[in-house]
């Protein structure tokens, strides 16, 4: 009965979402109080129904209900409990249900934490989100139903993909989906503002904390995914420019531009059209990522579906969302009065330049991701676009982004002087250049790219510390400084920390692939690895060969590492579990490959790495997310008092 209850809850959810969408938009446009009063209760009912459906599927996994097709495909009675629960989103149908649950959770948050906003605006926002939910529910019920039953119930399931049997599955997909789906909120605010005809500072202020919150989750999700791939795949890489990795990186770049554009719209009433386009683009790219992962057009360790019919549905949905929103924007954009003027040297200019560069970087990644698919679909042959393209195109675009990011924080609104900016930035720029060019000599052979990366990172950190020092000195009560100030600089320092990690690991990592028998040693990065033994062990659903590798430096034993080579019972799929000794300034990494020779003197393929500062990549991501959280918690967004709008109203459209 549990699967039937879950299926019925999704059918009711579709009905409620459709009613919410129609009532929300109609009530928002007409102002009818009875319709407006229904939008929040309908949103809460939609969340409860979705939570019920999600709970039913989770119970089916936990109780090993192998009458459900999806449970058979992605679970097994020997699977540990934690992976039976996380296995709900380990495949296509369940991940789509998680997506919808995240969407309704965001909708619930809007209904609960937007009491200070006009009811008509909230109704429009919830109405737009309700129609988005309708699209996903139709897709789920008609092409990807997670509650389909089997007539002949098997004795056991096929097991969860061994790649996913890792703690990363518990944290990475929910975090990433919260970011993906959260971009629907600024999109809905943008559509609501277009429908309302008010593209003003009030709309930007309402939308900005939601956009920042989505960006925070997306940042954490991408960082967790990178870390998971790093230690789980056994290749020692932290980013592979995989098309599905790119699918999450694209909306991250555009949403970063969006939150900065919202700041200008809120403070100065400028960039209104630009901000609307970015909000639409960010959500559209999250839908595009859904299409890439679930359409079957990609072959990737991250991809879920292999049924192109599902991809066609998502593609149609994507065209409806993008086409409809851009059509509405085209109808409204020409009626918006231009905002105030700003000089060539001003904060507005540098923020605009950075936004253009971020969207250009996103376009370059999008081109490299889609071009091979387009060539293949036209039967023009197979083409692979890999790291050489992305490194050659993406990196040069990001260098000026880092430069303008610093200059923009020092420039004044409306107008500033080039000489004044040079005086304020000169000392930190010179110090950064000298240190950045000197530090690579301590790490190994001098490298121009390493010097460039370290100089930029140091400039960001020193300039942020300079502004913090000035703020503390010039304010009698520095504790009253807005949280957004501290959050901005913490996020910028986080970017610098990640740049240091990327620069150092790309410039100075070393690796060796070797044959090792018992007692053999190999030296990498000043560390010595000695294989002292290989033993067999069994886990709950796998058998493993476990290596005992002695790690030493300068003759002193530091610790014993235990890389594994696992074979899972249900799939006979071999998996590498790397062993990593982590430090603040480096990782020492060893993975066990295949047995090359047996007998009394077995020989194994072993891969060892020395990776300087690799953890700074993810540490920087954490700092970025913390900075974004501080900005979101700024007291301006926690005020319960509705503020008067200061922007403009579209001519000829009712407010």
């Amino acid at each position: 009965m549990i699967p039937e209850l879950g299926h019925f809850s999704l059918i009711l959810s579709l009905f409620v979402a459709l009613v919410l969408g129609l009532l929300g938009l109609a009530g928002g446009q007409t102002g009818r109080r009875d319709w407006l009063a229904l939008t929040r209760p309908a949103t809460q009912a939609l969340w409860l129904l979705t939570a019920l459906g999600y709970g039913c599927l989770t119970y089916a996994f936990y109780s090993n209900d192998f009458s459900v097709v999806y449970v058979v495909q992605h679970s097994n009675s020997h699977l540990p409990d934690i992976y039976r629960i996380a296995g709900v989103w380990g495949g296509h149908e369940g991940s789509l249900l998680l997506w919808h649950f995240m969407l309704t959770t965001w909708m619930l948050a809007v209904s609960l934490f937007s009491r200070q906003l006009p009811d008509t605006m909230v109704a429009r926002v919830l109405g737009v989100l309700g129609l988005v939910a309708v699209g996903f529910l139709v897709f789920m019920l008609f092409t990807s139903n997670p509650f389909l039953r089997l007539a002949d119930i098997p004795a056991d399931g096929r097991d969860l993909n061994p790649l996913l049997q890792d703690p990363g599955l518990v944290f990475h997909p929910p975090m990433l989906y919260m970011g993906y789906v959260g971009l629907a909120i600024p999109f809905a605010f943008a559509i609501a503002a277009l429908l309302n005809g008010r593209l003003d500072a009030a709309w930007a202020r309402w939308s900005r904390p939601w956009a920042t919150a989505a960006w925070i989750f997306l940042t954490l999700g991408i960082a967790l995914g990178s870390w998971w791939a790093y230690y789980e795949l056994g290749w020692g890489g932290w980013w592979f420019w995989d098309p599905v990795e790119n699918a999450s990186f694209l909306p991250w770049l555009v949403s970063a531009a969006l939150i900065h554009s919202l700041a200008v719209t809120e403070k100065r009433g400028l960039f209104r059209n630009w901000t609307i386009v970015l909000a639409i683009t960010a959500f559209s790219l999250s839908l595009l990522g859904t299409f890439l992962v679930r359409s079957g057009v990609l072959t990737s360790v991250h991809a879920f579906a292999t049924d192109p019919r599902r991809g066609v549905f998502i593609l149609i949905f994507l065209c409806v969302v993008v086409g409809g929103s851009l059509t509405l924007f085209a109808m409204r954009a020409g009626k918006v009065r231009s905002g105030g003027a700003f000089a060539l040297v001003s904060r507005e200019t540098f923020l605009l330049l950075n936004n253009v560069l971020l969207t250009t970087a996103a376009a370059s990644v999008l081109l490299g991701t889609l071009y091979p698919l387009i060539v293949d679909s036209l039967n023009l042959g197979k083409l692979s676009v890999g790291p050489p393209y992305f490194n050659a195109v993406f990196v040069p675009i990001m260098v000026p982004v880092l430069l303008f990011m610093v200059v923009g924080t020092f420039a004044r609104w409306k107008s500033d002087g080039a000489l004044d900016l040079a005086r304020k930035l000169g000392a930190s720029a010179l110090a950064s250049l000298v240190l950045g060019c000197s530090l690579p000599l301590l790490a190994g052979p001098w490298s121009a790219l390493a010097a460039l990366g370290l100089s930029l990172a140091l400039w960001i950190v020193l300039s942020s510390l300079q502004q913090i020092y000035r703020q503390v000195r010039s304010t009698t009560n520095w504790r009253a400084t807005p949280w957004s100030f501290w959050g901005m600089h913490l996020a910028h320092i986080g970017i610098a920390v990640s740049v240091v990690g990327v620069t150092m690991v790309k410039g100075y990592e070393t690796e060796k692939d070797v044959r090792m028998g018992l007692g053999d040693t190999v030296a990498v990065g000043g560390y010595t690895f000695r294989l002292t033994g290989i033993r067999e062990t069994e886990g709950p659903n796998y058998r493993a060969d476990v290596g005992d590798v002695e790690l030493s430096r300068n003759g002193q034993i530091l610790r014993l590492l235990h890389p594994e080579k696992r074979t899972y019972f249900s799939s006979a799929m071999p998996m590498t579990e790397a062993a990593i000794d982590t430090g603040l300034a480096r990782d020492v990494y060893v993975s066990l490959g295949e047995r090359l020779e047996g007998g009394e003197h077995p020989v194994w393929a072993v891969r060892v790495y020395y990776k300087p500062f690799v953890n700074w990549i993810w540490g920087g991501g954490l700092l970025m997310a913390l900075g974004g959280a501080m900005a979101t918690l700024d007291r301006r967004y926690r005020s319960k008092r509705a503020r008067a709008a200061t922007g403009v109203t579209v001519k000829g459209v009712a407010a």
Side-chain angles (χ1 to χ4, degrees):
M1 288 298 295
I2 295 296
E4 285 80 2
L5 179 61
H7 183 244
F8 183 65
S9 71
L10 293 185
I11 295 174
L12 284 180
S13 296
L14 176 60
F15 173 76
V16 173
L18 183 60
V19 171
L20 172 62
L22 297 177
L23 280 183
L25 293 180
Q29 293 302 102
T30 63
R32 285 190 53 171
R33 292 188 178 275
D34 52 342
W35 291 354
L36 294 175
L38 289 173
T39 54
R40 283 190 171 93
T43 300
Q44 292 155 16
L46 178 60
W47 182 84
L48 287 172
L49 287 169
T50 305
L52 175 61
Y54 186 82
C56 288
L57 187 60
T58 302
Y59 181 79
F61 266 82
Y62 188 76
S63 62
N64 291 321
D65 186 351
F66 297 122
S67 68
V68 180
V69 175
Y70 182 68
V71 176
V72 172
Q73 293 172 341
H74 300 285
S75 188
N76 186 278
S77 60
H78 299 290
L79 195 64
D81 289 348
I82 186 64
Y83 299 133
R84 268 191 268 168
I85 295 173
V88 172
W89 55 78
H92 168 72
E93 291 85 353
S95 67
L96 199 63
L97 180 57
L98 176 66
W99 179 290
H100 177 64
F101 180 57
M102 295 293 188
L103 177 61
T104 58
T105 301
W106 280 105
M107 294 170 66
L108 179 67
V110 171
S111 72
L112 294 177
F113 300 114
S114 296
R115 300 287 181 182
Q116 73 274 22
L117 304 188
D119 289 340
T120 52
M121 171 60 80
V122 175
R124 292 187 186 98
V125 170
L126 294 177
V128 171
L129 294 172
L131 293 182
V132 172
V134 167
F136 276 97
L137 283 166
V138 170
F139 178 42
M140 199 185 319
L141 287 169
F142 290 97
T143 72
S144 309
N145 192 338
F147 294 107
L148 293 179
R149 304 294 295 274
L150 285 169
D152 298 323
I153 302 175
D156 213 336
R158 300 175 189 171
D159 205 3
L160 183 66
N161 186 335
L163 275 172
L164 302 180
Q165 295 184 38
D166 184 88
L169 177 68
V170 179
F171 305 106
H172 165 58
M175 200 70 70
L176 189 67
Y177 281 18
M178 280 294 285
Y180 256 150
V181 183
L183 292 174
I185 308 302
F187 166 79
F189 269 98
I191 299 302
L194 288 172
L195 291 170
N196 188 30
R198 288 179 56 176
L199 303 178
D200 52 26
W203 160 75
R205 183 170 57 250
W206 298 332
S207 181
R208 189 178 172 192
W210 297 103
T212 306
W215 180 84
I216 292 168
F217 283 111
L218 200 53
T219 301
L220 291 173
I222 292 172
L224 283 170
S226 168
W227 180 56
W228 183 11
Y230 167 73
Y231 74 78
E232 174 65 17
L233 296 181
W235 304 340
W238 55 273
W239 193 259
F240 303 98
W241 291 110
D242 181 281
V244 180
E245 288 179 330
N246 295 347
S248 61
F249 191 45
L250 286 166
W252 185 88
L253 289 169
V254 176
S255 60
L258 172 62
I259 58 180
H260 289 86
S261 189
L262 282 166
V264 181
T265 303
E266 177 188 350
K267 294 178 183 295
R268 295 275 291 117
L270 299 171
F271 303 172
R272 289 187 289 269
N273 287 341
W274 177 248
T275 303
I276 291 287
V277 171
L278 286 175
I280 294 172
T281 303
F283 181 58
S284 300
L285 288 172
S286 75
L287 291 179
L288 178 64
T290 305
F291 167 72
L292 291 175
V293 176
R294 290 168 172 78
S295 63
V297 301
L298 293 180
T299 301
S300 166
V301 296
H302 305 82
F304 283 118
T306 56
D307 185 357
R309 292 175 297 178
R310 294 170 173 172
V312 171
F313 185 99
I314 299 176
L315 190 59
I316 293 172
F317 183 55
L318 177 63
C319 291
V320 170
V321 171
V322 177
S325 55
L326 291 180
T327 299
L328 179 61
F329 171 72
M331 294 169 59
R332 295 286 198 257
K335 299 177 181 179
V336 179
R337 303 183 200 135
S338 60
F342 56 92
L344 180 62
V345 180
S346 64
R347 181 172 293 190
E348 292 92 331
T349 296
F350 293 113
L351 286 172
L352 179 61
L353 285 172
N354 255 9
N355 279 0
V356 171
L357 288 169
L358 284 171
T359 52
T360 303
S364 70
V365 175
L366 182 64
L367 176 64
T369 304
L370 295 184
Y371 185 68
L373 304 179
I374 296 172
V375 170
D376 186 28
S377 66
L378 296 176
N379 295 321
L380 298 177
K382 297 287 185 180
L383 181 67
S384 176
V385 175
Y389 162 81
F390 292 106
N391 293 335
V393 175
F394 181 79
V395 173
I397 297 174
M398 294 307 294
V399 169
V401 169
L402 300 178
L403 287 170
F404 293 141
M405 185 175 73
V406 173
V407 179
T409 60
F410 276 85
R412 290 192 294 265
W413 293 105
K414 295 185 181 180
S415 179
D416 205 341
L419 291 178
D420 288 341
L421 270 178
R423 279 194 293 268
K424 287 185 282 189
L425 292 165
S428 61
L430 180 61
S432 303
L433 187 61
V434 172
L435 287 172
C437 291
S438 303
L439 288 175
L441 295 173
L442 302 177
W446 192 86
S447 164
L449 289 177
L452 175 62
L454 291 178
S455 297
L456 289 170
L458 285 166
W459 195 32
I460 295 169
V461 173
L462 292 178
S463 64
S464 291
L465 294 177
Q466 181 182 349
Q467 286 202 311
I468 291 171
Y469 175 73
R470 289 172 57 191
Q471 177 70 16
V472 172
R473 280 200 60 185
S474 62
T475 306
T476 55
N477 181 14
W478 62 268
R479 293 181 180 84
T481 302
W483 283 33
S484 58
F485 172 85
W486 304 107
M488 174 187 71
H489 287 294
L490 183 60
H492 286 181
I493 290 172
I495 292 174
V497 170
S498 290
V499 169
V500 171
V502 172
T503 299
M504 295 302 292
V505 77
K506 295 294 287 184
Y508 298 102
E509 68 177 339
T510 55
E511 66 176 88
K512 287 185 180 180
D513 290 310
V514 295
R515 296 161 52 96
M516 296 187 74
L518 298 183
D520 289 347
T521 62
V522 59
V524 171
Y527 293 85
T528 300
F529 300 81
R530 181 172 178 266
L531 182 63
T532 61
I534 298 286
R535 51 194 167 83
E536 292 188 0
T537 187
E538 284 198 5
N541 59 343
Y542 64 84
R543 183 194 64 80
D545 292 307
V546 181
D548 296 320
V549 180
E550 195 176 79
L551 177 68
S552 61
R553 183 179 178 90
N554 298 325
Q556 181 181 359
I557 297 175
L558 302 179
R559 62 172 294 189
L560 200 61
L561 301 175
H562 302 288
E564 297 183 26
K565 194 71 174 182
R566 295 179 179 177
T567 301
Y568 284 80
F569 300 143
S570 59
S571 63
M573 181 178 179
M575 286 294 302
T576 298
E577 296 291 328
I580 306 173
D581 182 59
T582 298
L584 179 63
R586 58 90 181 126
D587 268 9
V588 180
Y589 183 114
V590 56
S591 60
L592 189 65
E594 301 295 333
R595 179 181 295 199
L596 303 178
E597 297 178 14
E600 295 182 3
H601 304 287
V603 175
W604 292 77
V606 177
R607 179 177 291 178
V608 293
Y609 301 88
Y610 170 73
K611 292 184 172 291
F613 292 89
V614 67
N615 287 300
W616 287 40
I617 298 172
W618 308 300
L622 180 60
L623 290 178
M624 286 183 240
L626 288 174
M630 291 180 70
T632 304
L633 294 174
D634 192 284
R635 59 179 174 267
R636 290 174 299 167
Y637 307 124
R638 289 180 282 130
S639 172
K640 298 298 182 183
R641 177 175 56 88
R643 305 169 194 266
T646 58
V648 310
T649 301
V650 177
K651 298 177 182 178
V653 181

